[in-house]
Amino acid sequence: MAETSTWVFGYGSLIYKVDFPFIEREPASITGWARRFWQGSHDHRGTPEAPGRVVTLIPKPGSVCQGVAYRIEHDVFDYLDHREKNGYQRMQASIALRDSQREVRGITYYADADNVAFLGPQAHEPLAQHIARAVGPSGRNIDYALQLAAALRELDEEDAHVFAIEALLLEQQSRAK
Ligand code: SIN
């Protein structure tokens, strides 16, 4: 019988904004990739004129990116493909499930450096200032970044890049008060 479900690895908003049905959910990781706020967001946390900054995966040998994997029915892809349409494409991935200690094949949404919304690297300070300013139809860019950092902490995982941006955002917030 044909398989009707697939594992999807989420490393950004898919960790904490779970507005889709799933069969199983488990903390997970993929190896060889680093999470970076290098993708522009025209449709969720910014606009085409003033894009926000959201995370994508950057190839980095040996690096482990922590997130959450969901086993979903195939028809859920209609929703997820639409949600992730601003530069992200499905990419095959080998996903390590943390609790059940299994390695499964699945997919992840990857925005490569050639997509039109890609912004690329920026020093932490201006990057955090950019995030502090941006806002789009899904809300403030700062909430995306702070919620991601909180979700990683909840998973008991670390990400130096995300936590550095979070610290700068919190510092800017307290200075503005
Ligand atoms: C993901 O969460 O896995 C993709 C990027 C995002 O939607 O923030």
Side-chain angles (χ1 to χ4, degrees):
M1 219 170 68
E3 187 60 77
T4 63
S5 68
T6 294
W7 284 95
V8 176
F9 174 73
Y11 56 90
S13 67
L14 289 177
I15 298 180
Y16 63 82
K17 189 177 177 212
V18 190
D19 56 358
F20 52 89
F22 60 87
I23 305 158
E24 285 180 80
R25 176 185 192 272
E26 193 169 319
S29 62
I30 57 172
T31 297
W33 299 91
R35 173 180 18 231
R36 295 286 182 268
F37 282 97
W38 290 6
Q39 173 65 7
S41 176
H42 298 176
D43 60 347
H44 284 301
R45 302 295 178 155
T47 61
E49 299 72 39
R53 271 189 178 261
V54 290
V55 290
T56 184
L57 297 168
I58 303 299
K60 190 169 181 212
S63 181
V64 179
C65 178
Q66 305 286 349
V68 170
Y70 305 87
R71 189 159 70 82
I72 60 164
E73 296 287 359
H74 288 166
D75 56 7
V76 180
F77 280 117
D78 292 345
Y79 169 69
L80 289 181
D81 288 354
H82 181 77
R83 171 169 157 176
E84 304 296 325
K85 67 183 187 314
N86 189 199
Y88 294 90
Q89 290 178 25
R90 291 189 212 166
M91 174 178 77
Q92 297 280 338
S94 177
I95 305 167
L97 302 177
R98 189 177 76 182
D99 299 339
S100 61
Q101 306 218 323
R102 282 182 294 154
E103 193 84 20
V104 294
R105 289 298 295 170
I107 72 106
T108 189
Y109 284 92
Y110 169 51
D112 69 17
D114 292 331
N115 84 83
V116 290
F118 191 76
L119 292 174
Q122 192 177 35
H124 281 173
E125 190 80 49
L127 197 158
Q129 283 165 6
H130 181 142
I131 289 176
R133 277 191 308 270
V135 59
S138 297
R140 299 189 313 163
N141 203 176
I142 188 171
D143 294 330
Y144 173 100
L146 297 181
Q147 277 179 288
L148 175 57
L152 287 170
R153 222 168 262 121
E154 187 136 322
L155 287 170
D156 230 352
E157 298 294 355
E158 286 183 13
D159 184 313
H161 175 73
V162 175
F163 288 178
I165 300 301
E166 178 201 34
L168 287 168
L169 288 168
L170 294 174
E171 207 178 289
Q172 285 174 15
Q173 250 182 0
S174 67
R175 266 204 310 263
K177 274 188 190 146

